Amino acid sequence: MSKEITSRKEDYSQWYNDLVIKGGLADYSAVRGCMVIKPFGFALWEKMRDTLDQMFKDTGHENAYFPLFIPKSFLSREAAHVEGFAKECAVVTHYRLKNDPDGGGIIVDPEAKLEEELIVRPTSETIIWNTYKTWIQSYRDLPLLINQWANVVRWEMRTRLFLRTTEFLWQEGHTAHATSDEAIAEARLMLDIYTDFVENYMALPVIRGVKTASERFAGAIDTYCIEALMQDGKALQAGTSHFLGQNFAKAFDVKFSDRQNKLDYVWATSWGVSTRLVGALVMSHGDDDGLILPPRIAPIQVVIIPIYKGDERKDLLDKKGKELAAELKKSGIRVKFDNNDNNRPGWKFAEYEKKGVPLRIALGLRDLDNNTVEIARRDTKEKTSFPEGGIVLRIEKLLLEIQDTMFRKSMQYRDEHITKADSWKEFLNLLDEKGGFILAHWDGTAETEEAIKEKSKATIRCIPFNNPSEEGFCIYSGKPSAERVLFARAY
RNA sequence: CGGGGCGUAGCGUAGCCCGGUCAUCGCGCCUGGUUUGGGACCAGGAGGUCGCAAGUUCGAAUCUUGCCGCCCCGACCA
């Protein structure tokens, strides 16, 4: 059945690629490092986008759109920021092509060189703060709560479908506040929203915390994050939220008058999640037969497949199927009735399993006789026959149950893969043999963090919120430490 | 940019070592029919600059050189 999909055990990376490609989420494109998101994959992203968008709006944010291009000079206004992004920027230098006078097709017109080069945005802080300068004068203009849905480009050395592509889709929120506390509260609020979304919609438990200085966003005072665990024991950053202090306000001279008519720089946050979430979803829930999508964001929650013999009562089956689909749809369930005659039922079963559709209803002649339907769960592979009456309630209940089961399963896996390590040797053994998150003491220095990364490939994913104090000694340097931090090898 | 693998029909592949009816097979696709409770079967059919370019040769998918592209692992990163 899974003949097309490489098993996780055999080759985890290939398994991931197989799920993305063969599950119909995306394709490789003619452009290196860039992918085509196919309709099914985009439907999934749209589900995520629409859900998050509503959450942003419910907390007072508005959408806007800023330019794709950023004048080169803007990027260097904030020192840490340019330092962080300069290495991966695509640059527009010319604005015109012309026919090659030597007959070699079309060439860049050397006459059409831009006076100032434009950067294709790797993120939009600079262009946005340059704009905010003109939008903000008084405390009455604050807080300014803006989000944009956009594409960004980061020229990565090595790309992976959804997880890291040269161009990707995301949302970036950029807010301005009158006080530091308010900005921090905003950054924390957005992390709460991400947590809510990833855990309750994507069924993926996350660990929340703050990044160390070296893992911080370029230009931030603090970076908060949610970290998820994939099935191969590697961590994946699922979302980040930054408290930017007054760094960008100072760089772009954004001041406001407070109630006392005192002039001060505004306080900022930014926060984002990307199409990388699709990759997280694939990697954390999928199995060797394909994708497994959580009902709350599955583009198709229920597929109905008719099974007939010859033309016997085919019309009746068709009618029943359509009625059932309509009934489910009326209750807000995303349903597809697949009566396409080109493929046989067995083929469809396998196909929708590969695509991760949470529930499948098979409707055959036996069911017509008995007034039943057969329902199969994607997550547990259970097949059960149910009486036709009350089927909508049954489906609704099952969808909730699948959502819950998927979250619990991921949670259990995650919890089983948080391990304490008290020595360097133990730390390395755990990384190689078990994987997952490792809680260990660290002396708090960037040098040690770097050395650990160098020698073990593991990074500090975060210092978890509400982290218990615990006296101990750094697993690498042996120096005293007041708390454990969360390590993992990561995507 | 380093290490490994690989480019032959839409996809997956055989052939390459030892040049010469070798362009093979499966899936998919098209037509017709039989089928349909776990990836159906039969019959017929379409589809190829063998990644690109030079070179060696009477003759190159096959040998030589150069280039291009892709995948995996690593360095950079969400």
Side-chain angles (χ1 to χ4, degrees), chain A residues 66 74 124-133 135 146 148 172-174:
Chain A
F66 294 84
F74 281 23
S124 302
E125 273 77 5
T126 55
I127 186 77
I128 287 180
W129 280 87
N130 178 71
T131 309
Y132 281 2
K133 177 180 164 58
W135 288 4
I146 303 281
Q148 87 165 341
E172 47 180 327
H174 296 273

Side-chain angles (χ1 to χ4, degrees), chain A residues 209-223:
Chain A
V210 59
K211 288 286 189 190
T212 61
S214 66
E215 297 279 330
R216 209 175 272 156
F217 175 77
I221 305 289
D222 261 325
T223 288

Side-chain angles (χ1 to χ4, degrees), chain A residues 386-397:
Chain A
F386 288 107
E388 214 182 313
I391 199 66
V392 173
L393 283 176
R394 170 72 58 184
I395 295 283
E396 281 174 341
K397 190 161 161 262

Side-chain angles (χ1 to χ4, degrees), chain A residues 172-399:
Chain A
E172 47 180 327
H174 296 273
T175 69
H177 306 264
T179 66
S180 167
D181 284 351
E182 203 187 288
I184 291 171
E186 165 76 8
R188 292 292 297 259
L189 170 69
M190 297 326 287
L191 199 75
D192 288 347
I193 285 177
Y194 289 156
T195 305
D196 179 13
F197 174 73
V198 173
E199 293 199 333
N200 297 320
Y201 286 80
M202 293 180 57
L204 251 186
V206 295
I207 292 179
R208 305 143 54 74
V210 59
K211 288 286 189 190
T212 61
S214 66
E215 297 279 330
R216 209 175 272 156
F217 175 77
I221 305 289
D222 261 325
T223 288
Y224 308 121
C225 63
I226 51 175
E227 295 284 330
L229 190 63
M230 304 295 104
Q231 290 183 62
D232 62 346
K234 286 170 83 172
L236 185 136
Q237 179 175 299
T240 52
S241 169
H242 317 291
F243 169 56
L244 302 173
Q246 294 174 310
N247 291 347
F248 285 91
K250 285 176 179 164
F252 289 89
D253 195 33
V254 184
K255 292 182 197 161
F256 74 105
S257 305
D258 65 14
R259 281 168 201 273
Q260 283 76 42
N261 198 28
K262 207 159 91 321
L263 219 51
D264 193 11
Y265 292 108
V266 302
W267 299 83
T269 80
S270 68
W271 27 274
V273 297
S274 71
T275 37
R276 178 179 235 205
L277 286 178
V278 176
L281 196 69
V282 172
M283 267 209 284
S284 51
H285 294 310
D287 67 15
D288 289 350
D289 292 327
L291 301 166
I292 302 179
L293 301 179
R296 290 187 88 179
I297 51 167
I300 301 169
Q301 295 172 308
V302 181
V303 62
I304 303 171
I305 297 174
I307 301 162
Y308 35 79
K309 290 201 193 302
D311 283 337
E312 187 195 348
R313 290 189 285 176
K314 190 175 166 187
D315 293 344
L316 184 56
L317 267 180
D318 211 50
K319 186 162 163 277
K320 277 249 171 182
K322 279 180 182 153
E323 278 170 12
L324 181 54
E327 205 182 338
L328 289 167
K329 195 175 172 196
K330 212 162 63 188
S331 304
I333 294 165
R334 296 187 288 280
V335 58
K336 174 174 175 176
F337 174 51
D338 186 352
N339 61 348
N340 184 336
D341 203 24
N342 295 330
N343 297 311
R344 298 167 80 252
W347 188 91
K348 292 178 187 172
F349 290 178
E351 186 64 14
Y352 289 106
E353 273 164 18
K354 201 165 66 186
K355 291 200 140 96
V357 175
L359 281 178
R360 177 186 73 231
I361 298 178
L363 193 57
L365 296 177
R366 280 208 307 260
D367 298 301
L368 283 188
D369 293 335
N370 305 330
N371 286 316
T372 57
V373 296
E374 183 195 75
I375 301 182
R377 283 175 66 152
R378 176 62 182 92
D379 64 331
T380 59
K381 301 265 169 63
E382 283 173 296
K383 281 201 281 198
T384 324
S385 228
F386 288 107
E388 214 182 313
I391 199 66
V392 173
L393 283 176
R394 170 72 58 184
I395 295 283
E396 281 174 341
K397 190 161 161 262
L398 274 171
L399 289 173

